[in-house]
């Protein structure tokens, strides 16, 4: 009995030693037969990860696409085995897609007969290819061991079974396969691009820009055409990752019926999905699409498919004979087909539409109307009214000091009118995003925080002006300093906030043109202020004469004042015209004119 005891001790030592390392590099050759990691605990019973394949039949030499997906996991181990003898050695070899996530192992004498992880980095999705050998059994089943954490793992998760053509039914029942096996459907390659013929007469179309041609490299196109009890759908657009559209009961992501065309390597995978809040789409295991086709040419992704108008058996699939808001989005995707958040705001229809109703040819907006109004009012307030008001107060006191408007000096009345207009426009603009979002936005970075600070300073400035001391009061200098510093801080914050806001997807301004235009405006305003400061300095130097020559001083002041008044009025006119040009440019960008 000493020998078995010694063997048991050696086995315990190996498991203990292996468990210390935990195979973080994924080189699990010791687990080739049992597929059990020596982690010192029992495996979980109910798998939460699934294995799917892109077909159900194979011939020797064929490549079968194998996917492992589910909640975050650290390690994995995939093999293919004889479906009727799952304790037999591994069958065939694998080819990896992403060498950063997966690596090939040799089990027994078969090279590359297993795949495992390369590190403990968390992952949700693995894609590999299985190459059928010449001596493959009639039926092959894929198995996977998945490690969520060191003590939490599942062993030999059963995957789908693939068979050689005309394989006879087994005499004994096979192990259960994963419930997530993909239903096969016909997929073909589009021989020619889509066109817009029939839009508005035979089919319902959405185009962005309006009336664009789907063959154009910048055109996003979506069409629906009713065919008896089904609808044929075409989707096209410039994308190196994915295109997607969704049917929604409102203009917010969440609880929507989505359809995705995702580029994977050199082909396109078309699937349905369900959108839950702002989380990534949950792809459906059931396949309800028919007549799937796709095309990838010169960066333009096109796909088409059909589906029944009503699918009561499939939860999450909306009936197509009702009215919905329609979203159209694009973005990047990884090599494994995982999609990333869209880089710019999705196109959203301005109202609800029934795609099986009266055919229409419509557009949409990538920027909601309330957000457009928010941006437009802020530009009007902080590019025109504030800037002109500051120039007037700083440089036009001596020019308009003897002119009166409604009983007050003209410069003061113009300045006050412009600043009150700024407060009104900013206040209206400030509430619009909250109305649109229904509360605070967690997706806008620092923009809302700086915006709230700027709004507080904007309200504080006129309140402080209401308590302005008289001109010769001792506290007047202190008031002047606070008034200037508060206004200057608000202006600087406004510029920074607008810079940040212009890059937000909801406004959808053309990048980097918008940034260059904003830089141009700042340079324009600073340049005008510097020009007027230099002019004021030169004017003062011009009237500096010998102190006792009173007549010369009066003559110099008279001519200098006339000259200074004309120059400043010309500069102000040019400045106002320049600001209007910048404002028109920004408003045109907001409305994509």
């Amino acid at each position: 009995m000493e020998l078995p005891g010694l063997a048991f001790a050696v086995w315990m030592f190996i498991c203990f030693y292996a468990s210390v390392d935990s195979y973080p590099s994924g080189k699990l050759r010791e687990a080739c037969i049992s597929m059990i990691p020596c982690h010192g605990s029992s495996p979980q019973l109910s798998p939460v990860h699934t294995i799917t394949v892109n077909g159900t039949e194979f011939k020797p030499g064929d490549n079968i696409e194998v996917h492992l997906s589910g909640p975050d996991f650290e390690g994995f181990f995939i093999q293919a085995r004889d479906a009727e003898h799952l304790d037999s050695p591994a069958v065939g070899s694998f080819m990896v897609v992403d060498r950063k996530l997966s690596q090939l192992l040799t089990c027994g004498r078969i090279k590359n007969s297993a795949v495992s992880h390369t590190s403990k980095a968390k992952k949700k999705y693995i894609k590999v290819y299985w190459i059928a050998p010449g001596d493959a059994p009639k039926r092959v089943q894929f198995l996977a061991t998945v490690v969520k954490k060191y003590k939490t793992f599942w062993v030999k998760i059963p995957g789908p079974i693939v068979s050689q053509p005309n394989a006879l039914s087994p005499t004994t029942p096979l192990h259960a396969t994963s419930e997530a096996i993909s239903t096969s459907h016909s997929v073909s390659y589009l021989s020619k691009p889509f066109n817009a013929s029939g839009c508005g007469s035979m089919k319902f179309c959405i185009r962005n820009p309006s009336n664009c041609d789907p063959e154009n490299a910048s055109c996003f196109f979506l069409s629906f055409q009713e065919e008896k009890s089904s609808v044929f759908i075409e989707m096209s657009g410039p994308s190196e990752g994915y295109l997607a559209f969704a049917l929604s009961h409102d203009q917010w992501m969440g609880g929507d019926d989505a359809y995705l065309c995702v580029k994977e390597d050199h082909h396109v995978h078309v699937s349905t999905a369900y959108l839950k809040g702002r989380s990534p789409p949950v792809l459906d295991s059931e396949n309800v699409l028919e007549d799937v086709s796709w095309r990838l040419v010169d960066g333009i992704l096109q796909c088409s498919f059909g589906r029944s108008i009503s699918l009561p058996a499939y939860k999450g699939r909306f009936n197509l004979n009702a009215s919905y808001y329609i979203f159209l989005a694009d973005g990047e995707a990884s090599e494994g087909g995982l999609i990333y958040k869209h880089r710019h705001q999705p196109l959203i229809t301005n109202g609800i539409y029934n795609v099986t109703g009266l055919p229409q040819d419509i557009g949409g907006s990538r920027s909601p109307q309330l957000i457009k109004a928010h941006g437009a009012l802020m530009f009007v307030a902080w590019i025109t009214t504030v800037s002109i008001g500051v120039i007037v107060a700083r440089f036009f006191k001596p020019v308009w000091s003897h002119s009166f408007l409604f009983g007050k000096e003209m410069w003061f009345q113009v300045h006050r009118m412009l600043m009150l207009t700024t407060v009104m426009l900013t206040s209206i603009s400030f509430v619009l995003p909250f109305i649109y979002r229904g509360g605070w936005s967690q997706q806008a970075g620092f923009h809302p925080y700086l915006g709230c600070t700027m709004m507080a300073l904007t309200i504080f400035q006129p309140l402080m002006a209401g308590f302005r001391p008289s001109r010769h009061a001792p506290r007047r200098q202190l008031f002047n300093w606070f008034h200037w510093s508060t206004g200057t801080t608000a202006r600087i914050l406004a510029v920074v906030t607008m810079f940040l806001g212009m890059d937000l997807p909801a406004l959808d301004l053309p990048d980097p043109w918008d940034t260059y235009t904003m830089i141009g405006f700042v340079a324009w305003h600073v340049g005008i202020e510097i020009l007027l400061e230099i002019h004021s300095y030169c004017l003062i130097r011009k009237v500096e004469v010998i102190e006792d020559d009173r007549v010369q001083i009066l003559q110099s002041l008279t001519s200098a004042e006339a000259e200074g008044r004309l120059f400043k009025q010309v500069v102000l006119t040019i400045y106002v015209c320049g600001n209007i040009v910048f404002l028109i440019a920004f408003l045109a960008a907001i409305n994509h004119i």
Side-chain angles (χ1 to χ4, degrees):
M1 298 297 293
E2 292 182 0
L3 188 58
L6 178 61
F8 178 78
V10 171
W11 181 83
M12 286 294 291
F13 171 77
I14 292 173
C15 283
F16 175 77
Y17 178 78
S19 66
V20 171
D21 181 63
S22 184
Y23 305 119
S25 66
K27 296 183 178 180
L28 312 175
R29 293 188 181 91
E30 294 86 347
C32 277
I33 302 300
S34 67
M35 299 185 71
I36 302 175
C38 288
H39 287 190
S41 60
S42 301
Q44 305 295 308
L45 297 178
S46 300
V48 294
H49 302 81
T50 56
I51 310 169
T52 58
V53 295
N54 68 335
T56 56
E57 289 189 354
F58 73 91
K59 294 180 292 185
D62 282 355
N63 291 350
I64 299 292
E65 194 174 298
V66 183
H67 304 259
L68 173 64
S69 60
D72 285 347
F73 55 94
E74 295 179 353
F76 66 92
F77 187 68
I78 303 174
Q79 279 188 346
R81 295 189 179 184
D82 186 339
E84 299 186 39
H85 305 282
L86 291 181
D87 292 331
S88 60
V91 173
S93 58
F94 286 89
M95 180 172 59
V96 299
V97 174
D98 189 347
R99 297 186 179 277
K100 294 180 180 179
L101 298 177
S102 52
Q103 63 180 328
L104 299 172
L105 299 178
T106 297
C107 283
R109 297 181 180 180
I110 305 175
K111 187 176 181 181
N112 302 336
S113 56
V115 188
S116 72
H117 54 280
T118 57
S119 70
K120 292 175 62 178
K122 290 185 178 181
K123 46 197 86 64
K124 292 178 179 290
Y125 175 90
I126 293 295
K127 173 183 170 182
V128 296
Y129 288 95
W130 177 73
I131 305 171
D135 58 348
K138 294 295 183 181
R139 294 175 181 80
V140 173
Q141 185 168 17
F142 295 95
L143 304 174
T145 291
V146 177
V147 179
K148 180 181 180 182
K149 293 181 180 179
Y150 183 74
K151 296 284 187 180
T152 307
F153 56 88
W154 295 264
V155 174
K156 287 187 178 180
I157 299 173
I161 296 174
V162 293
S163 308
Q164 295 197 47
N166 303 319
L168 298 176
S169 299
T171 55
T172 58
L174 301 177
H175 289 72
T177 61
S178 167
E179 294 180 358
I181 181 171
S182 300
T183 305
S184 62
H185 59 278
S186 60
V187 178
S188 61
Y189 186 82
L190 290 167
S191 59
K192 58 183 180 179
F194 300 144
N195 60 70
S197 62
C199 284
S201 58
M202 299 175 59
K203 54 187 180 183
F204 185 99
C205 297
I206 300 173
R207 293 192 269 177
N208 180 249
S210 297
N211 301 317
C212 66
D213 188 341
E215 295 188 47
N216 191 295
S218 61
C219 181
F220 289 91
F221 176 80
L222 178 64
S223 73
F224 303 84
Q225 186 169 6
E226 186 176 4
E227 298 177 348
K228 295 182 180 179
S229 62
S230 64
V231 174
F232 186 70
I233 301 166
E234 296 175 328
M235 182 162 52
S236 172
S239 177
E240 291 297 329
Y242 70 91
L243 286 175
F245 81 89
L247 306 175
S248 178
H249 296 291
D250 52 37
Q251 291 185 302
W252 295 98
M253 285 182 61
D256 307 326
D257 181 11
Y259 300 81
L260 296 89
C261 298
V262 185
K263 179 182 176 183
E264 297 184 23
D265 299 325
H266 299 290
H267 68 281
V268 175
H269 177 66
V270 183
S271 65
T272 56
Y274 182 75
L275 298 182
K276 186 177 181 181
R278 292 182 174 269
S279 303
V282 180
L283 299 182
D284 293 328
S285 56
E286 308 100 338
N287 197 338
V288 300
L289 306 180
E290 303 170 345
D291 301 325
V292 176
S293 300
W294 59 270
R295 187 173 187 266
L296 268 174
V297 177
D298 298 330
I300 300 178
L301 190 159
Q302 297 187 324
C303 62
S304 63
F305 51 89
R307 62 147 281 190
S308 298
I309 293 177
S310 179
L311 293 168
Y314 295 93
K315 184 180 179 181
R317 302 280 75 79
F318 294 176
N319 291 336
L320 297 183
N321 54 5
S323 296
Y324 307 99
Y325 288 98
I326 304 172
F327 291 62
L328 180 59
D330 69 290
E332 296 181 347
S334 68
E335 293 182 358
L338 285 177
I339 69 171
Y340 300 110
K341 182 181 177 181
H342 39 78
R343 288 180 295 178
H344 47 247
Q345 186 80 357
L347 178 76
I348 306 174
T349 57
N350 295 323
I352 57 175
Y353 293 92
N354 183 346
V355 298
T356 59
L358 183 68
Q360 297 186 57
D361 188 4
I362 65 170
S365 174
R366 292 186 181 272
S367 180
Q369 296 299 324
L370 286 176
I371 299 299
K372 283 185 177 181
H374 167 75
L377 291 176
M378 284 298 186
F379 281 134
V380 171
W382 295 92
I383 285 182
T384 54
T385 56
V386 158
S387 303
I388 297 171
V390 168
I391 293 290
V392 168
R394 177 71 182 87
F395 299 103
F396 281 79
K397 285 182 183 180
V399 176
W400 291 343
S401 59
H402 302 296
S403 301
F404 293 88
L405 184 65
F406 302 118
K408 295 281 186 180
E409 293 175 334
M410 180 181 289
W411 75 265
F412 177 75
Q413 293 287 49
V414 172
H415 172 74
R416 182 164 63 177
M417 178 188 67
L418 290 172
M419 291 307 175
L420 290 177
T421 303
T422 299
V423 174
M424 180 185 68
L425 294 176
T426 304
S427 300
I428 295 172
S429 177
F430 179 77
V431 301
L432 296 181
F434 291 97
I435 296 174
Y436 172 71
R437 293 289 182 186
W440 186 264
S441 173
Q442 301 293 336
Q443 312 293 324
F446 289 105
H447 178 77
Y449 297 97
L450 293 178
C452 289
T453 305
M454 184 194 73
M455 186 69 241
L457 293 175
T458 303
I459 296 296
F460 178 68
Q461 186 77 330
L463 292 177
M464 181 170 55
F467 296 94
R468 179 178 66 254
S470 62
R471 180 170 298 178
H472 301 292
R475 293 177 298 170
R476 182 59 181 253
Q477 284 296 103
L478 185 63
F479 164 80
N480 289 342
W481 187 90
F482 272 110
H483 189 62
W484 174 86
S485 59
T486 302
T488 302
T489 303
R491 290 167 61 205
I492 294 173
L493 278 179
V495 171
V496 174
T497 306
M498 285 192 289
F499 265 114
L500 295 176
M502 289 188 303
D503 287 333
L504 293 177
L507 197 53
D508 191 36
L509 291 178
D511 188 60
W513 180 89
D514 57 337
T515 303
Y516 295 151
T517 306
M518 192 65 188
I519 292 173
F521 165 72
V522 173
W524 167 254
H525 178 79
V526 172
I528 291 295
E529 284 210 32
I530 292 174
L531 177 64
L532 290 172
E533 287 286 358
I534 293 174
H535 175 262
S536 298
Y537 174 77
C538 293
L539 201 62
I540 293 172
R541 296 286 297 173
K542 191 172 184 179
V543 298
E544 283 183 350
V545 293
I546 302 174
E547 186 177 354
D548 337 352
D549 198 348
R550 306 294 180 186
V551 175
Q552 180 64 36
I553 291 176
L554 291 175
Q555 292 175 348
S556 298
L557 282 173
T558 303
S559 60
E561 282 181 1
E563 180 184 340
R565 184 180 299 109
L566 177 62
F567 178 82
K568 287 181 180 179
Q569 287 176 345
V570 170
V571 171
L572 180 63
T573 303
I574 295 173
Y575 178 69
V576 170
C577 293
N579 281 25
I580 292 174
V581 170
F582 278 107
L583 179 62
I584 292 173
F586 280 117
L587 296 181
I590 289 175
N591 289 282
H592 300 282
I593 298 175

